[in-house]
Amino acid sequence: MPRKQKSMVVMDTKTIQRALVRIAHEIVEKNKGAENMAVIGIQNRGAYLAERVAKLIEEIEGVEIPLGLMDITLYRDDVQTKLEQPVVQKTEILFDVVDKVIILVDDVLFTGRTVRAALDQIIDFGRPRSIQFAVLIDRGHRELPIRADYVGKNIPTAKEDRVKVKIKEVDGEDSVSIIKQ
Amino acid sequence: MNNSEKLKIPSPAGEEKKKSGSYFDLAIIGGRVIDPETKMDRMADIFIRDGVIIKVEKTKDKIKARKTIDAKGKIVVPGLIDMHTHLREPGREDEETIYTGSCAAVAGGFTSICCMPNTQPPIDNQETVKFVYQKAKDAKCKIYCVGCITKGQKGEELTEIYDLVRAGVVAISDDGLSIANSQVLRNALEYSRMFDLPVISHCEDLNLSACGVMHEGFVSTTLGMCGIPSIAEETIVARDIKLAEFTKARIHIAHVSTEGSVDLIRQAKKRGIKVTCEATPHHFTLTDQIIRTFDTNAKVNPPLRTKRDVEAIKRELSDGTIDCIATDHAPHSIEEKEVEFDAAPFGMVGLETALGLVVTELINKKVLSWAQAIAKMTVNPARILNLKAGRIKKNFPADITIIDPKASWIADPTKFQSKSKNSPFGGRKLRGKVCCTIVDGKVVYEG
Amino acid sequence: MKLKSKHLLGLEGMSRKEINLILDTAETFKEILSRPIRVVPTLRGVTVVNLFYEPSTRTRISFELAEKRLSAEVVNFSAAISSSRKGETLKDTVRNIEAMKTDMVVVRHQASGVPYFLTQCLDSSIINAGDGAHEHPTQGLLDLFTIREKYKNVKGLKVVIVGDIKYSRVARSDMWGLSIMGADVSLCGPSTLLPVEIDKMGVKVYSDLNKALVGADVVIVLRIQLERQKGGLLPSLREYTNKFGITKDRLKRLNENFTIMHPGPINRGVEITPEVADGPHSVILDQVTNGVAIRMAVLYLLSGGEGKVE
């Protein structure tokens, strides 16, 4: 029998929405506007969060923000050690990244390996002016020298804990919970 | 009672025999004895002296023999005869020798085997026959030599058949190849009739079989392999039957593999043509489906056919159209077989699995009775080849095989006595195991 | 979702799910081919050997491109320059290659069953790039991909394969693949070039091209080789062209939105007229492009380690 798991909700629809609004404002503030900006979300949930962030920036600044999504599977560093190859999902960056300010969006920042793969992949598309990283949850335990520029919420966790992010577009509801092992 | 027994001629070991009360060298007691010729199938004891069967009867007296074999629960049959083996000597002693082939034979219950002449050089002259018989002196069982029909197996000029007969060949054959020129085969049939020598025919139209490596059918179509059609065999069977009818000679069709072939032979027999034939254990057991795993050990010529052909072979074994079961034991080295399917040579070893397959596939599945099955491996080949063998009867050589009919075992080619291990039956569960093989009254194998 | 085997030997016996996984993955890879840098680092450190015992230009180049675009290390071995001419057996050759620490082997051989044989003597993943007249699975997959790309769904389409079916591994892989995906498959060719009992594969068989083409959506034209004439299976290529050549005139029998495919290389004017091969309904060059994406997908899906499950 599996050990009893304890689940604890740490964010709900409202708090997630507030965090995203704050992130959007921080992005605009830091970049003094949204000129030359594009948002790219990491598949799967990061892509939906990116869409929301882009929309919020558009509302604030009244400009159109190009939106892309990417799957980082092919840039992972553990492809040959896995028993089963992850299903590769769509990557869609229909704008030119050269000289853009790219806002990379994901749901959870953990070891930093996914972000590393994403950075490599963006650079294969061209040379952006800068890449900034926005994440809903930073749970710590980095294995690479990577940090987020915009964080929705810092949540201290034990390494073996799981952080479960649900979003409406995929899961039917917005929430973040920690599952203690 | 025969004379020697009546006179009680003292043998060199006579004193000893008297002391222990032994009148016989060997007694096999308590077994179920089958002599297919007389359809004898009952409990009996067999007494042997000087390599000859002295008497076969149920006795209540105290057994007086130097050695006694308790055959209770066992089946005692005439030593098996395989009229179709390839012993590879001379030429490919790395694959098999006459000696190692004989070891495989006795392990499989065979006391007499016939070696085909497609050696290197071929057995197409008296000297080579003599060489084979010289080597056969050390063999564990009796070796009978088959000579070539044509010089160098080229299908052109007849060998010196009279010379071959004088050297002791029991049949002639260009096995492995088919004689394409009908006139040559006609001559061979007419000429060999003078010696009442059977001609063994490997039936294959080489233009039809061409580049084929397996049976032409659904499986070859799926695998994209060049096929050997059934008609490659059947057209030549039909021709050979016609030639035998015309020349009134005896022809023996080797390794029949198709429904069409056995149909032709059945009709020919009905018409009184002197045609006999044999089938191999692999042709009544396996189908071309096995090739799906590209197992080169299952690459054999004629190829493994379809389920329908296997059923026909079984039916005609049962009906008596097929006279003999022969192994077509064809050893090949691992190096030669561990190659791409197209490049592998044809042939599989069979001496050590033949009896197990006969028991498992024919007797236990009620295709043949014990007596019928044993007839096809003893008295029938003996009759075709004019051998004084294949009987359990007074005055016959004491060539005897004792079988445990219930024993079950797993075929393991790595443990074969044969030098070659090219069997597709590895891992197969078989019933019926040789317990003891006796040649001229001597135990040459104990399982 | 995972492929059942770590090898790709043929499409026979594959499930619709597995084929869909490969086709879906290939869609992603096709997108990579349109990026400014058409290389991903996925198979960095993986060594792939292209073992070609039979001359091949496009399949070998297609595999090589696929491997390089996945950042694999590529070793090319072709029989013409190898020790196979020095009497070394296939088994010794491949075991030697594996001893040099390779991970995947792509093999093309004139004998059916060689890829299977390699799975018996090597630990590497084996990908069949064409064995005898048996299978050419990546060609079958890229044909499915090309058809699916155009029609969205393969199910229910009427596909006619025309030509030398008997000696064609492409025909077999196409037949399996299309049947598994639910297409209605017909074969058409001279009766001497239709293998026995082929109808048992669940396909319709025609020797009259005009009948076979009626109402078809896709025509896959196979290459006809001069060797067949020498082998006595065809009186002449001229006669073949007259009876089985795909001409503009014959296309009238097809459905409106029809497609012409050919695995290449084309004998222009023999099995297909240049007009049709280069016509608006021809997807022959798309097949070539898709070939790279399909091979990338196959290499990626089979490259998984045997390590831990995550």
Side-chain angles (χ1 to χ4, degrees), chain B residues 216 218 221-224 292-294 338, chain C residues 12 91 112-113 116-117 133-134 172 196-197:
Chain B
E216 180 177 304
F218 180 62
T221 288
T222 309
L223 300 179
R292 282 183 177 279
T293 61
F294 302 99
E338 270 192 344
Chain C
E12 184 187 3
K91 188 179 176 184
S112 294
Y116 182 90
F117 176 74
H134 177 218
R172 285 171 180 77
V196 298
E197 302 183 40

mmCIF file with all atom_site columns, all heavy atoms in Angstrom, chain B residues 216 218 221-224 292-294 338, chain C residues 12 91 112-113 116-117 133-134 172 196-197:
data_model
loop_
_atom_site.group_PDB
_atom_site.id
_atom_site.type_symbol
_atom_site.label_atom_id
_atom_site.label_alt_id
_atom_site.label_comp_id
_atom_site.label_asym_id
_atom_site.label_entity_id
_atom_site.label_seq_id
_atom_site.pdbx_PDB_ins_code
_atom_site.Cartn_x
_atom_site.Cartn_y
_atom_site.Cartn_z
_atom_site.occupancy
_atom_site.B_iso_or_equiv
_atom_site.pdbx_formal_charge
_atom_site.auth_seq_id
_atom_site.auth_comp_id
_atom_site.auth_asym_id
_atom_site.auth_atom_id
_atom_site.pdbx_PDB_model_num
ATOM 1   N N   . GLU B 1 216 ? 6.791  -21.935 -51.420 1.00 0.00 ? 216 GLU B N   1
ATOM 2   C CA  . GLU B 1 216 ? 6.094  -20.790 -51.998 1.00 0.00 ? 216 GLU B CA  1
ATOM 3   C C   . GLU B 1 216 ? 4.643  -20.822 -51.560 1.00 0.00 ? 216 GLU B C   1
ATOM 4   O O   . GLU B 1 216 ? 3.902  -21.748 -51.900 1.00 0.00 ? 216 GLU B O   1
ATOM 5   C CB  . GLU B 1 216 ? 6.189  -20.812 -53.526 1.00 0.00 ? 216 GLU B CB  1
ATOM 6   C CG  . GLU B 1 216 ? 5.475  -19.620 -54.152 1.00 0.00 ? 216 GLU B CG  1
ATOM 7   C CD  . GLU B 1 216 ? 5.606  -19.577 -55.670 1.00 0.00 ? 216 GLU B CD  1
ATOM 8   O OE1 . GLU B 1 216 ? 6.737  -19.586 -56.171 1.00 0.00 ? 216 GLU B OE1 1
ATOM 9   O OE2 . GLU B 1 216 ? 4.565  -19.554 -56.343 1.00 0.00 ? 216 GLU B OE2 1
ATOM 10  N N   . PHE B 1 218 ? 1.681  -18.413 -48.735 1.00 0.00 ? 218 PHE B N   1
ATOM 11  C CA  . PHE B 1 218 ? 1.370  -17.151 -48.066 1.00 0.00 ? 218 PHE B CA  1
ATOM 12  C C   . PHE B 1 218 ? 2.542  -16.648 -47.220 1.00 0.00 ? 218 PHE B C   1
ATOM 13  O O   . PHE B 1 218 ? 2.838  -15.462 -47.204 1.00 0.00 ? 218 PHE B O   1
ATOM 14  C CB  . PHE B 1 218 ? 0.117  -17.309 -47.206 1.00 0.00 ? 218 PHE B CB  1
ATOM 15  C CG  . PHE B 1 218 ? -0.266 -16.050 -46.493 1.00 0.00 ? 218 PHE B CG  1
ATOM 16  C CD1 . PHE B 1 218 ? -0.609 -14.911 -47.213 1.00 0.00 ? 218 PHE B CD1 1
ATOM 17  C CD2 . PHE B 1 218 ? -0.267 -15.986 -45.107 1.00 0.00 ? 218 PHE B CD2 1
ATOM 18  C CE1 . PHE B 1 218 ? -0.954 -13.728 -46.561 1.00 0.00 ? 218 PHE B CE1 1
ATOM 19  C CE2 . PHE B 1 218 ? -0.617 -14.811 -44.451 1.00 0.00 ? 218 PHE B CE2 1
ATOM 20  C CZ  . PHE B 1 218 ? -0.960 -13.687 -45.176 1.00 0.00 ? 218 PHE B CZ  1
ATOM 21  N N   . THR B 1 221 ? 5.256  -15.215 -49.340 1.00 0.00 ? 221 THR B N   1
ATOM 22  C CA  . THR B 1 221 ? 4.759  -13.943 -49.866 1.00 0.00 ? 221 THR B CA  1
ATOM 23  C C   . THR B 1 221 ? 4.883  -12.845 -48.810 1.00 0.00 ? 221 THR B C   1
ATOM 24  O O   . THR B 1 221 ? 5.342  -11.747 -49.087 1.00 0.00 ? 221 THR B O   1
ATOM 25  C CB  . THR B 1 221 ? 3.295  -14.103 -50.311 1.00 0.00 ? 221 THR B CB  1
ATOM 26  O OG1 . THR B 1 221 ? 3.293  -14.876 -51.507 1.00 0.00 ? 221 THR B OG1 1
ATOM 27  C CG2 . THR B 1 221 ? 2.635  -12.771 -50.590 1.00 0.00 ? 221 THR B CG2 1
ATOM 28  N N   . THR B 1 222 ? 4.511  -13.177 -47.589 1.00 0.00 ? 222 THR B N   1
ATOM 29  C CA  . THR B 1 222 ? 4.605  -12.202 -46.504 1.00 0.00 ? 222 THR B CA  1
ATOM 30  C C   . THR B 1 222 ? 6.055  -11.805 -46.232 1.00 0.00 ? 222 THR B C   1
ATOM 31  O O   . THR B 1 222 ? 6.358  -10.642 -46.046 1.00 0.00 ? 222 THR B O   1
ATOM 32  C CB  . THR B 1 222 ? 4.013  -12.801 -45.207 1.00 0.00 ? 222 THR B CB  1
ATOM 33  O OG1 . THR B 1 222 ? 2.728  -13.303 -45.511 1.00 0.00 ? 222 THR B OG1 1
ATOM 34  C CG2 . THR B 1 222 ? 3.906  -11.778 -44.124 1.00 0.00 ? 222 THR B CG2 1
ATOM 35  N N   . LEU B 1 223 ? 6.918  -12.806 -46.213 1.00 0.00 ? 223 LEU B N   1
ATOM 36  C CA  . LEU B 1 223 ? 8.315  -12.533 -45.871 1.00 0.00 ? 223 LEU B CA  1
ATOM 37  C C   . LEU B 1 223 ? 9.109  -12.002 -47.062 1.00 0.00 ? 223 LEU B C   1
ATOM 38  O O   . LEU B 1 223 ? 10.254 -11.593 -46.903 1.00 0.00 ? 223 LEU B O   1
ATOM 39  C CB  . LEU B 1 223 ? 8.985  -13.806 -45.334 1.00 0.00 ? 223 LEU B CB  1
ATOM 40  C CG  . LEU B 1 223 ? 8.353  -14.408 -44.084 1.00 0.00 ? 223 LEU B CG  1
ATOM 41  C CD1 . LEU B 1 223 ? 9.100  -15.670 -43.675 1.00 0.00 ? 223 LEU B CD1 1
ATOM 42  C CD2 . LEU B 1 223 ? 8.356  -13.413 -42.939 1.00 0.00 ? 223 LEU B CD2 1
ATOM 43  N N   . GLY B 1 224 ? 8.492  -12.036 -48.233 1.00 0.00 ? 224 GLY B N   1
ATOM 44  C CA  . GLY B 1 224 ? 9.197  -11.554 -49.416 1.00 0.00 ? 224 GLY B CA  1
ATOM 45  C C   . GLY B 1 224 ? 10.357 -12.454 -49.810 1.00 0.00 ? 224 GLY B C   1
ATOM 46  O O   . GLY B 1 224 ? 11.354 -11.986 -50.343 1.00 0.00 ? 224 GLY B O   1
ATOM 47  N N   . ARG B 1 292 ? 8.840  -17.856 -40.138 1.00 0.00 ? 292 ARG B N   1
ATOM 48  C CA  . ARG B 1 292 ? 8.568  -16.468 -39.746 1.00 0.00 ? 292 ARG B CA  1
ATOM 49  C C   . ARG B 1 292 ? 9.643  -15.906 -38.827 1.00 0.00 ? 292 ARG B C   1
ATOM 50  O O   . ARG B 1 292 ? 9.828  -14.701 -38.747 1.00 0.00 ? 292 ARG B O   1
ATOM 51  C CB  . ARG B 1 292 ? 7.201  -16.365 -39.071 1.00 0.00 ? 292 ARG B CB  1
ATOM 52  C CG  . ARG B 1 292 ? 6.066  -16.392 -40.076 1.00 0.00 ? 292 ARG B CG  1
ATOM 53  C CD  . ARG B 1 292 ? 4.731  -16.219 -39.393 1.00 0.00 ? 292 ARG B CD  1
ATOM 54  N NE  . ARG B 1 292 ? 3.650  -16.173 -40.359 1.00 0.00 ? 292 ARG B NE  1
ATOM 55  C CZ  . ARG B 1 292 ? 3.314  -15.097 -41.054 1.00 0.00 ? 292 ARG B CZ  1
ATOM 56  N NH1 . ARG B 1 292 ? 3.970  -13.969 -40.867 1.00 0.00 ? 292 ARG B NH1 1
ATOM 57  N NH2 . ARG B 1 292 ? 2.349  -15.134 -41.926 1.00 0.00 ? 292 ARG B NH2 1
ATOM 58  N N   . THR B 1 293 ? 10.321 -16.768 -38.098 1.00 0.00 ? 293 THR B N   1
ATOM 59  C CA  . THR B 1 293 ? 11.408 -16.281 -37.250 1.00 0.00 ? 293 THR B CA  1
ATOM 60  C C   . THR B 1 293 ? 12.762 -16.390 -37.950 1.00 0.00 ? 293 THR B C   1
ATOM 61  O O   . THR B 1 293 ? 13.792 -16.230 -37.328 1.00 0.00 ? 293 THR B O   1
ATOM 62  C CB  . THR B 1 293 ? 11.490 -17.062 -35.927 1.00 0.00 ? 293 THR B CB  1
ATOM 63  O OG1 . THR B 1 293 ? 11.755 -18.434 -36.241 1.00 0.00 ? 293 THR B OG1 1
ATOM 64  C CG2 . THR B 1 293 ? 10.208 -16.962 -35.136 1.00 0.00 ? 293 THR B CG2 1
ATOM 65  N N   . PHE B 1 294 ? 12.737 -16.657 -39.225 1.00 0.00 ? 294 PHE B N   1
ATOM 66  C CA  . PHE B 1 294 ? 13.956 -16.722 -40.035 1.00 0.00 ? 294 PHE B CA  1
ATOM 67  C C   . PHE B 1 294 ? 14.976 -17.702 -39.456 1.00 0.00 ? 294 PHE B C   1
ATOM 68  O O   . PHE B 1 294 ? 16.172 -17.470 -39.521 1.00 0.00 ? 294 PHE B O   1
ATOM 69  C CB  . PHE B 1 294 ? 14.589 -15.330 -40.180 1.00 0.00 ? 294 PHE B CB  1
ATOM 70  C CG  . PHE B 1 294 ? 13.668 -14.311 -40.793 1.00 0.00 ? 294 PHE B CG  1
ATOM 71  C CD1 . PHE B 1 294 ? 12.977 -13.406 -40.009 1.00 0.00 ? 294 PHE B CD1 1
ATOM 72  C CD2 . PHE B 1 294 ? 13.480 -14.263 -42.161 1.00 0.00 ? 294 PHE B CD2 1
ATOM 73  C CE1 . PHE B 1 294 ? 12.119 -12.474 -40.570 1.00 0.00 ? 294 PHE B CE1 1
ATOM 74  C CE2 . PHE B 1 294 ? 12.624 -13.334 -42.738 1.00 0.00 ? 294 PHE B CE2 1
ATOM 75  C CZ  . PHE B 1 294 ? 11.947 -12.434 -41.942 1.00 0.00 ? 294 PHE B CZ  1
ATOM 76  N N   . GLU B 1 338 ? 24.618 -19.804 -39.303 1.00 0.00 ? 338 GLU B N   1
ATOM 77  C CA  . GLU B 1 338 ? 24.417 -18.489 -38.673 1.00 0.00 ? 338 GLU B CA  1
ATOM 78  C C   . GLU B 1 338 ? 24.677 -17.371 -39.661 1.00 0.00 ? 338 GLU B C   1
ATOM 79  O O   . GLU B 1 338 ? 25.588 -16.559 -39.500 1.00 0.00 ? 338 GLU B O   1
ATOM 80  C CB  . GLU B 1 338 ? 25.350 -18.338 -37.466 1.00 0.00 ? 338 GLU B CB  1
ATOM 81  C CG  . GLU B 1 338 ? 24.705 -18.822 -36.195 1.00 0.00 ? 338 GLU B CG  1
ATOM 82  C CD  . GLU B 1 338 ? 25.490 -18.419 -34.961 1.00 0.00 ? 338 GLU B CD  1
ATOM 83  O OE1 . GLU B 1 338 ? 26.666 -18.035 -35.079 1.00 0.00 ? 338 GLU B OE1 1
ATOM 84  O OE2 . GLU B 1 338 ? 24.913 -18.511 -33.872 1.00 0.00 ? 338 GLU B OE2 1
ATOM 85  N N   . GLU C 2 12  ? 4.115  -5.116  -40.175 1.00 0.00 ? 12  GLU C N   1
ATOM 86  C CA  . GLU C 2 12  ? 3.247  -6.252  -39.879 1.00 0.00 ? 12  GLU C CA  1
ATOM 87  C C   . GLU C 2 12  ? 3.169  -6.429  -38.368 1.00 0.00 ? 12  GLU C C   1
ATOM 88  O O   . GLU C 2 12  ? 4.194  -6.474  -37.694 1.00 0.00 ? 12  GLU C O   1
ATOM 89  C CB  . GLU C 2 12  ? 3.790  -7.536  -40.514 1.00 0.00 ? 12  GLU C CB  1
ATOM 90  C CG  . GLU C 2 12  ? 2.857  -8.716  -40.295 1.00 0.00 ? 12  GLU C CG  1
ATOM 91  C CD  . GLU C 2 12  ? 3.430  -10.056 -40.763 1.00 0.00 ? 12  GLU C CD  1
ATOM 92  O OE1 . GLU C 2 12  ? 4.590  -10.092 -41.210 1.00 0.00 ? 12  GLU C OE1 1
ATOM 93  O OE2 . GLU C 2 12  ? 2.704  -11.053 -40.667 1.00 0.00 ? 12  GLU C OE2 1
ATOM 94  N N   . LYS C 2 91  ? 27.479 -11.859 -39.437 1.00 0.00 ? 91  LYS C N   1
ATOM 95  C CA  . LYS C 2 91  ? 27.475 -11.858 -37.984 1.00 0.00 ? 91  LYS C CA  1
ATOM 96  C C   . LYS C 2 91  ? 28.767 -11.260 -37.429 1.00 0.00 ? 91  LYS C C   1
ATOM 97  O O   . LYS C 2 91  ? 28.742 -10.439 -36.520 1.00 0.00 ? 91  LYS C O   1
ATOM 98  C CB  . LYS C 2 91  ? 27.301 -13.289 -37.480 1.00 0.00 ? 91  LYS C CB  1
ATOM 99  C CG  . LYS C 2 91  ? 27.094 -13.342 -35.999 1.00 0.00 ? 91  LYS C CG  1
ATOM 100 C CD  . LYS C 2 91  ? 26.894 -14.740 -35.497 1.00 0.00 ? 91  LYS C CD  1
ATOM 101 C CE  . LYS C 2 91  ? 26.788 -14.700 -33.983 1.00 0.00 ? 91  LYS C CE  1
ATOM 102 N NZ  . LYS C 2 91  ? 26.675 -16.013 -33.398 1.00 0.00 ? 91  LYS C NZ  1
ATOM 103 N N   . SER C 2 112 ? 15.848 -11.042 -47.149 1.00 0.00 ? 112 SER C N   1
ATOM 104 C CA  . SER C 2 112 ? 14.783 -10.901 -46.156 1.00 0.00 ? 112 SER C CA  1
ATOM 105 C C   . SER C 2 112 ? 15.262 -11.448 -44.823 1.00 0.00 ? 112 SER C C   1
ATOM 106 O O   . SER C 2 112 ? 15.942 -12.463 -44.780 1.00 0.00 ? 112 SER C O   1
ATOM 107 C CB  . SER C 2 112 ? 13.548 -11.714 -46.571 1.00 0.00 ? 112 SER C CB  1
ATOM 108 O OG  . SER C 2 112 ? 12.974 -11.198 -47.724 1.00 0.00 ? 112 SER C OG  1
ATOM 109 N N   . GLY C 2 113 ? 14.869 -10.784 -43.760 1.00 0.00 ? 113 GLY C N   1
ATOM 110 C CA  . GLY C 2 113 ? 15.139 -11.340 -42.432 1.00 0.00 ? 113 GLY C CA  1
ATOM 111 C C   . GLY C 2 113 ? 16.447 -10.904 -41.810 1.00 0.00 ? 113 GLY C C   1
ATOM 112 O O   . GLY C 2 113 ? 16.706 -11.214 -40.649 1.00 0.00 ? 113 GLY C O   1
ATOM 113 N N   . TYR C 2 116 ? 16.036 -8.951  -38.571 1.00 0.00 ? 116 TYR C N   1
ATOM 114 C CA  . TYR C 2 116 ? 15.669 -9.859  -37.483 1.00 0.00 ? 116 TYR C CA  1
ATOM 115 C C   . TYR C 2 116 ? 16.907 -10.606 -36.998 1.00 0.00 ? 116 TYR C C   1
ATOM 116 O O   . TYR C 2 116 ? 17.140 -10.747 -35.798 1.00 0.00 ? 116 TYR C O   1
ATOM 117 C CB  . TYR C 2 116 ? 14.604 -10.845 -37.962 1.00 0.00 ? 116 TYR C CB  1
ATOM 118 C CG  . TYR C 2 116 ? 14.134 -11.787 -36.891 1.00 0.00 ? 116 TYR C CG  1
ATOM 119 C CD1 . TYR C 2 116 ? 13.057 -11.457 -36.069 1.00 0.00 ? 116 TYR C CD1 1
ATOM 120 C CD2 . TYR C 2 116 ? 14.792 -13.002 -36.661 1.00 0.00 ? 116 TYR C CD2 1
ATOM 121 C CE1 . TYR C 2 116 ? 12.642 -12.303 -35.065 1.00 0.00 ? 116 TYR C CE1 1
ATOM 122 C CE2 . TYR C 2 116 ? 14.386 -13.852 -35.651 1.00 0.00 ? 116 TYR C CE2 1
ATOM 123 C CZ  . TYR C 2 116 ? 13.311 -13.515 -34.855 1.00 0.00 ? 116 TYR C CZ  1
ATOM 124 O OH  . TYR C 2 116 ? 12.905 -14.345 -33.849 1.00 0.00 ? 116 TYR C OH  1
ATOM 125 N N   . PHE C 2 117 ? 17.694 -11.079 -37.944 1.00 0.00 ? 117 PHE C N   1
ATOM 126 C CA  . PHE C 2 117 ? 18.935 -11.792 -37.620 1.00 0.00 ? 117 PHE C CA  1
ATOM 127 C C   . PHE C 2 117 ? 19.824 -10.914 -36.734 1.00 0.00 ? 117 PHE C C   1
ATOM 128 O O   . PHE C 2 117 ? 20.409 -11.393 -35.761 1.00 0.00 ? 117 PHE C O   1
ATOM 129 C CB  . PHE C 2 117 ? 19.637 -12.172 -38.934 1.00 0.00 ? 117 PHE C CB  1
ATOM 130 C CG  . PHE C 2 117 ? 20.972 -12.839 -38.779 1.00 0.00 ? 117 PHE C CG  1
ATOM 131 C CD1 . PHE C 2 117 ? 21.065 -14.147 -38.368 1.00 0.00 ? 117 PHE C CD1 1
ATOM 132 C CD2 . PHE C 2 117 ? 22.140 -12.152 -39.076 1.00 0.00 ? 117 PHE C CD2 1
ATOM 133 C CE1 . PHE C 2 117 ? 22.297 -14.772 -38.242 1.00 0.00 ? 117 PHE C CE1 1
ATOM 134 C CE2 . PHE C 2 117 ? 23.378 -12.765 -38.954 1.00 0.00 ? 117 PHE C CE2 1
ATOM 135 C CZ  . PHE C 2 117 ? 23.455 -14.071 -38.533 1.00 0.00 ? 117 PHE C CZ  1
ATOM 136 N N   . ALA C 2 133 ? 12.642 -8.563  -50.249 1.00 0.00 ? 133 ALA C N   1
ATOM 137 C CA  . ALA C 2 133 ? 11.310 -8.135  -50.667 1.00 0.00 ? 133 ALA C CA  1
ATOM 138 C C   . ALA C 2 133 ? 10.364 -8.184  -49.476 1.00 0.00 ? 133 ALA C C   1
ATOM 139 O O   . ALA C 2 133 ? 9.160  -8.282  -49.618 1.00 0.00 ? 133 ALA C O   1
ATOM 140 C CB  . ALA C 2 133 ? 10.799 -9.026  -51.792 1.00 0.00 ? 133 ALA C CB  1
ATOM 141 N N   . HIS C 2 134 ? 10.931 -8.120  -48.272 1.00 0.00 ? 134 HIS C N   1
ATOM 142 C CA  . HIS C 2 134 ? 10.137 -8.311  -47.059 1.00 0.00 ? 134 HIS C CA  1
ATOM 143 C C   . HIS C 2 134 ? 9.437  -7.027  -46.621 1.00 0.00 ? 134 HIS C C   1
ATOM 144 O O   . HIS C 2 134 ? 8.238  -6.898  -46.796 1.00 0.00 ? 134 HIS C O   1
ATOM 145 C CB  . HIS C 2 134 ? 11.047 -8.861  -45.955 1.00 0.00 ? 134 HIS C CB  1
ATOM 146 C CG  . HIS C 2 134 ? 10.385 -9.042  -44.645 1.00 0.00 ? 134 HIS C CG  1
ATOM 147 N ND1 . HIS C 2 134 ? 11.006 -8.777  -43.450 1.00 0.00 ? 134 HIS C ND1 1
ATOM 148 C CD2 . HIS C 2 134 ? 9.144  -9.455  -44.340 1.00 0.00 ? 134 HIS C CD2 1
ATOM 149 C CE1 . HIS C 2 134 ? 10.164 -9.027  -42.460 1.00 0.00 ? 134 HIS C CE1 1
ATOM 150 N NE2 . HIS C 2 134 ? 9.031  -9.443  -42.960 1.00 0.00 ? 134 HIS C NE2 1
ATOM 151 N N   . ARG C 2 172 ? 4.755  -4.333  -49.566 1.00 0.00 ? 172 ARG C N   1
ATOM 152 C CA  . ARG C 2 172 ? 4.351  -5.075  -48.362 1.00 0.00 ? 172 ARG C CA  1
ATOM 153 C C   . ARG C 2 172 ? 4.167  -4.143  -47.166 1.00 0.00 ? 172 ARG C C   1
ATOM 154 O O   . ARG C 2 172 ? 3.170  -4.225  -46.444 1.00 0.00 ? 172 ARG C O   1
ATOM 155 C CB  . ARG C 2 172 ? 5.350  -6.184  -48.066 1.00 0.00 ? 172 ARG C CB  1
ATOM 156 C CG  . ARG C 2 172 ? 5.177  -7.356  -49.039 1.00 0.00 ? 172 ARG C CG  1
ATOM 157 C CD  . ARG C 2 172 ? 6.302  -8.369  -48.883 1.00 0.00 ? 172 ARG C CD  1
ATOM 158 N NE  . ARG C 2 172 ? 6.149  -9.495  -49.790 1.00 0.00 ? 172 ARG C NE  1
ATOM 159 C CZ  . ARG C 2 172 ? 6.440  -9.464  -51.083 1.00 0.00 ? 172 ARG C CZ  1
ATOM 160 N NH1 . ARG C 2 172 ? 6.881  -8.356  -51.641 1.00 0.00 ? 172 ARG C NH1 1
ATOM 161 N NH2 . ARG C 2 172 ? 6.299  -10.549 -51.837 1.00 0.00 ? 172 ARG C NH2 1
ATOM 162 N N   . VAL C 2 196 ? 2.047  -15.353 -54.842 1.00 0.00 ? 196 VAL C N   1
ATOM 163 C CA  . VAL C 2 196 ? 0.946  -16.280 -54.568 1.00 0.00 ? 196 VAL C CA  1
ATOM 164 C C   . VAL C 2 196 ? 0.262  -15.939 -53.236 1.00 0.00 ? 196 VAL C C   1
ATOM 165 O O   . VAL C 2 196 ? 0.906  -15.471 -52.305 1.00 0.00 ? 196 VAL C O   1
ATOM 166 C CB  . VAL C 2 196 ? 1.419  -17.757 -54.528 1.00 0.00 ? 196 VAL C CB  1
ATOM 167 C CG1 . VAL C 2 196 ? 1.981  -18.170 -55.879 1.00 0.00 ? 196 VAL C CG1 1
ATOM 168 C CG2 . VAL C 2 196 ? 2.448  -17.968 -53.437 1.00 0.00 ? 196 VAL C CG2 1
ATOM 169 N N   . GLU C 2 197 ? -1.030 -16.173 -53.208 1.00 0.00 ? 197 GLU C N   1
ATOM 170 C CA  . GLU C 2 197 ? -1.847 -16.036 -51.990 1.00 0.00 ? 197 GLU C CA  1
ATOM 171 C C   . GLU C 2 197 ? -1.794 -14.645 -51.373 1.00 0.00 ? 197 GLU C C   1
ATOM 172 O O   . GLU C 2 197 ? -2.048 -14.462 -50.180 1.00 0.00 ? 197 GLU C O   1
ATOM 173 C CB  . GLU C 2 197 ? -1.453 -17.092 -50.951 1.00 0.00 ? 197 GLU C CB  1
ATOM 174 C CG  . GLU C 2 197 ? -1.604 -18.512 -51.503 1.00 0.00 ? 197 GLU C CG  1
ATOM 175 C CD  . GLU C 2 197 ? -1.292 -19.589 -50.467 1.00 0.00 ? 197 GLU C CD  1
ATOM 176 O OE1 . GLU C 2 197 ? -1.676 -19.413 -49.305 1.00 0.00 ? 197 GLU C OE1 1
ATOM 177 O OE2 . GLU C 2 197 ? -0.682 -20.594 -50.844 1.00 0.00 ? 197 GLU C OE2 1
#
